[in-house]
Amino acid sequence: MLLTDNPIPDADGDHFGFRTHAAVLCAAITATEDLPLTVGVFGPWGMGKSSFMKVCQDLLDQRDIPTVWFNPWKYDQKDEIWHALIQSVLTEIAQDLEERRQKGDLALRERMAGALETIRRLSQAAAWLLARRAAGPLTAGVLTADDVDAAQTALTEPGTETYLHVNHFEQDFKDVVHTYTDGGRLVLFIDDLDRCSPDAAITVLDSLKLFLGEGSCVFVLAMDYQVVAEAAARRFHAENPDEARGRQYLEKLIHFPYHLPGVSFEAIVRHLQDKVTDAELAGSRELWELVEVAFEANPRRVRRFVNGLNLTAMTLRMNPADPPSRRLLLHAGTLLALHMKHPDFFGVLKSDPGVWRRFDDAEFFRTELSGQDALLARENPGARRLLARVSFRREGYDFPDPPTPTEIRLLTQVLTVTGGLSNGTADPSAAATADGTTGAGPGHGA
């Protein structure tokens, strides 16, 4: 079983307790009168920002509040991004208005037709601006081929109407949103802002301010605050980033900072425990202690670990006559965690397997490490803490004693295939053993 990293589709898929917090935020968004409003959903990488916003979107949809979802990470160039953002919003509105126009009475059809014509002109104005800036690809959702040609022609012979429309873009957009929402509000979710290049991330933020800043809109932006603040700092001073100015930029743009509530490790265990496919490990208290020490409560990292562990266990079981022991599987999990979290330490361990036991002895006997071991410990304090927490001497747990050099060679060969390591091109079948025979190897039956 491989676990995907896709965000949950709606509130029913919430496994981490986001719904209660999302309901409070959505109630606040619904009650806010002074619009536009910009909400920043802040959280580190892998903590569920996209899933949290999907829960929010579902709850708002249930209240019949129109929403639009935009992912700027799909677009490479900053000119493409602001254009795609505007066109995505206009396309979503146009599709809904067209459905309402076809179902309505004469007065409603006329009102919807007027709004649709304004949307077409807004879309053409955005395409014209893009053509002015660069002759790159156009991603207009509501423009026809003729519209695009007209926009490109405007690069050399802009018409008065186009100029006027660009100048009135904000007011026209405000009027369209008012018609679309029947005087309510439009909520625009912008995801993965911190995955964009620094220039692209700031372009999205500027677009909200310059093009969409007058409508009755709520912008909900998911980001790692520090990543985007650093991008803003580099924008003002590329060679010597001004971190204070970067933070000020975000503070001015983000009206309400919302820090994503943490996911409890217990919730992660409840959700993923039955996703561990090997029976030796599925209910192992020691395995989940290792996971918590290595990855804390980061759902994305835990999923990736479980994927790697499942594939590793399946590879080690290629010979059903000689299945891997619980000891070997737990060591495989520890080595996988070291590779994911402390790759430099893992690299040393491959060439010097005895370092694991030397670290374990130093921790237990409270002795000082020396030479290269001391340097390695200073450079990798997290690795030393991890090994201490999975020590066979730790009371209350049943961790195995450190692996032998032969076991480490076997497991690193397997992990080359199953754990995404890059230490050669070992064949998967040959990687199953240390002596070159498929399936049998030290540490399996004990």
Side-chain angles (χ1 to χ4, degrees):
M1 175 189 293
L2 292 178
L3 308 175
T4 68
D5 196 30
N6 299 325
I8 60 176
D10 50 42
D12 291 338
D14 176 26
H15 298 287
F16 301 136
F18 286 147
R19 183 172 188 143
T20 300
H21 300 282
V24 173
L25 181 59
C26 289
I29 288 173
T30 304
T32 300
E33 297 179 357
D34 188 13
L35 300 177
L37 170 72
T38 305
V39 178
V41 176
F42 300 141
W45 179 89
M47 293 302 293
K49 295 185 295 295
S50 299
S51 291
F52 178 80
M53 292 209 306
K54 282 293 185 182
V55 174
C56 289
Q57 185 182 35
D58 186 31
L59 296 180
L60 291 171
D61 289 343
Q62 293 175 23
R63 296 178 178 222
D64 293 323
I65 296 176
T67 64
V68 175
W69 190 278
F70 179 71
N71 192 328
W73 188 45
K74 297 178 181 178
Y75 305 91
D76 295 328
Q77 302 301 319
K78 61 180 183 180
D79 284 338
E80 288 182 10
I81 286 179
W82 67 258
H83 181 257
L85 168 62
I86 294 169
Q87 298 292 3
S88 295
V89 176
L90 294 176
T91 299
E92 193 84 12
I93 294 175
Q95 290 174 345
D96 188 73
L97 290 182
E98 177 59 27
E99 291 179 4
R100 289 157 62 180
R101 187 189 69 81
Q102 293 178 3
K103 298 176 182 178
D105 56 21
L106 179 60
L108 180 62
R109 289 201 300 270
E110 290 178 352
R111 189 159 64 92
M112 295 298 103
L116 286 166
E117 176 58 24
T118 302
I119 290 174
R120 192 194 68 79
R121 293 200 309 270
L122 285 170
S123 184
Q124 188 171 9
W128 179 81
L129 285 173
L130 178 64
R132 288 266 304 183
R133 294 169 64 94
L138 298 177
T139 55
V142 297
L143 288 179
T144 65
D146 291 340
D147 291 326
V148 175
D149 290 341
Q152 293 285 12
T153 301
L155 177 63
T156 54
E157 298 180 4
T160 303
E161 182 182 356
T162 303
Y163 274 126
L164 290 175
H165 210 77
V166 169
N167 291 336
H168 292 90
F169 194 102
E170 289 188 35
Q171 182 60 47
D172 287 342
F173 181 79
K174 178 180 179 180
D175 294 341
V176 166
V177 170
H178 182 81
T179 301
Y180 174 53
T181 63
D182 293 323
R185 67 205 56 216
L186 170 66
V187 181
L188 174 60
F189 292 93
I190 299 179
D191 194 18
D192 284 337
L193 198 59
D194 45 14
R195 289 192 182 188
C196 298
S197 67
D199 282 348
I202 300 306
T203 296
V204 173
L205 298 177
D206 283 343
S207 299
L208 302 183
K209 179 174 58 179
L210 296 175
F211 291 100
L212 310 178
E214 293 296 326
S216 295
C217 297
V218 178
F219 305 103
V220 184
L221 301 91
M223 68 180 83
D224 184 321
Y225 179 88
Q226 188 61 34
V227 171
V228 180
E230 290 174 358
R234 285 194 294 272
R235 179 207 185 165
F236 296 114
H237 296 282
E239 295 182 359
N240 297 300
D242 186 341
E243 295 184 4
R245 192 170 181 185
R247 290 192 297 269
Q248 290 170 0
Y249 174 86
L250 281 185
E251 289 168 2
K252 185 175 181 179
L253 186 69
I254 304 295
H255 302 134
F256 179 70
Y258 184 88
H259 294 274
L260 188 71
V263 177
S264 72
F265 186 73
E266 291 74 16
I268 293 177
V269 174
R270 285 195 300 270
H271 177 49
L272 296 179
Q273 189 167 26
D274 63 349
K275 306 298 190 296
V276 177
T277 56
D278 196 280
E280 286 280 359
L281 294 177
S284 170
R285 181 165 170 256
E286 287 71 25
L287 173 66
W288 290 104
E289 174 67 7
L290 163 65
V291 172
E292 184 174 16
V293 171
F295 307 109
E296 299 178 332
N298 187 300
R300 179 174 294 154
R301 288 195 172 102
V302 175
R303 284 193 194 97
R304 293 185 177 189
F305 173 83
V306 171
N307 279 339
L309 185 65
N310 284 342
L311 287 176
T312 301
M314 290 171 65
T315 302
L316 290 170
R317 292 188 181 279
M318 288 173 63
N319 182 355
D322 188 15
S325 64
R326 174 183 177 276
R327 163 195 170 85
L328 196 69
L329 291 170
L330 282 174
H331 283 327
T334 301
L335 285 168
L336 178 59
L338 286 170
H339 170 65
M340 294 174 64
K341 289 285 288 182
H342 310 287
D344 292 340
F345 183 89
F346 179 85
V348 173
L349 187 60
K350 287 195 296 180
S351 59
D352 181 11
V355 70
W356 186 328
R357 183 170 289 277
R358 294 197 299 272
F359 271 49
D360 189 82
D361 288 344
E363 190 71 24
F364 180 73
F365 294 111
R366 296 292 188 266
T367 57
E368 294 293 329
L369 293 166
S370 61
Q372 291 299 313
D373 285 354
L375 177 62
L376 184 64
R378 286 196 299 271
E379 293 177 345
N380 299 272
R384 183 173 184 175
R385 286 194 297 270
L386 191 155
L387 291 180
R389 295 289 293 274
V390 301
S391 172
F392 74 105
R393 297 177 169 113
R394 185 179 173 190
E395 294 183 1
Y397 289 90
D398 186 22
F399 287 107
D401 61 316
T404 66
T406 303
E407 288 171 330
I408 288 179
R409 284 194 297 271
L410 163 66
L411 293 173
T412 54
Q413 286 179 347
V414 174
L415 288 169
T416 299
V417 179
T418 61
L421 313 189
S422 56
N423 68 332
T425 55
D427 179 77
S429 60
T433 69
D435 62 359
T437 58
T438 303
H444 272 59

